[in-house]
Amino acid sequence: MAAINIEVGGIKNFDLSGTDSALGPRWCKWNESFEYFILAKSVKDDVQQRALLLHSAGGEVQELFETLVDPGPGPGVDEDTATSFQKVTRTLDTYFIHRVNEPYEWHMFRNMV
């Protein structure tokens, strides 16, 4: 594996503070920004992508990730062919995105003045 020198200062750590319902949309935006970053830096190695994601997300996300279990591929998929980076993303997506309380969000939307 060739060494790649990457400046990671352009990506802020993911902020875990705030309400549970706000984490999902913020995670989606942060993750999209990270994917643009690795694309711009031409990071193609799976292990490096995984390490960069966890490093860039910050210590709190790293600690959280270590406690989570990969949900695995969706129903009807016999074999999990996901890369290590895809598994990390899938695990964190499942944790953050499923924390959105849709009925509450619809209630708040309908009550906006």
Side-chain angles (χ1 to χ4, degrees):
M1 169 173 39
I4 298 175
N5 186 12
I6 298 174
E7 178 65 38
V8 293
I11 299 176
K12 294 182 181 179
N13 291 355
F14 182 68
D15 183 14
L16 288 173
S17 64
T19 63
D20 285 350
S21 62
L23 284 177
R26 280 202 343 255
W27 169 254
C28 289
K29 285 183 179 182
W30 187 92
N31 194 34
E32 183 178 7
S33 176
F34 177 78
E35 289 180 8
Y36 288 139
F37 174 79
I38 61 173
L39 183 65
K41 296 293 185 177
S42 298
V43 180
K44 294 182 177 27
D45 183 70
D46 176 59
V47 174
Q48 287 181 325
Q49 288 177 346
R50 179 185 189 275
L52 271 173
L53 179 119
L54 291 172
H55 174 76
S56 299
E60 289 180 316
V61 174
Q62 291 170 23
E63 290 176 19
L64 172 67
F65 174 73
E66 295 301 325
T67 66
L68 300 175
V69 176
D70 179 11
V77 178
D78 294 332
E79 186 178 342
D80 189 3
T81 59
T83 65
S84 145
F85 174 70
Q86 290 169 334
K87 289 178 183 178
V88 169
T89 303
R90 176 174 65 200
T91 302
L92 292 172
D93 282 352
T94 300
Y95 177 80
F96 288 122
I97 294 171
H98 288 230
R99 298 182 67 83
V100 175
N101 183 344
E102 287 187 33
Y104 176 75
E105 295 298 322
W106 277 111
H107 170 74
M108 294 301 292
F109 177 75
R110 289 183 183 126
N111 289 320
M112 292 172 57
V113 176

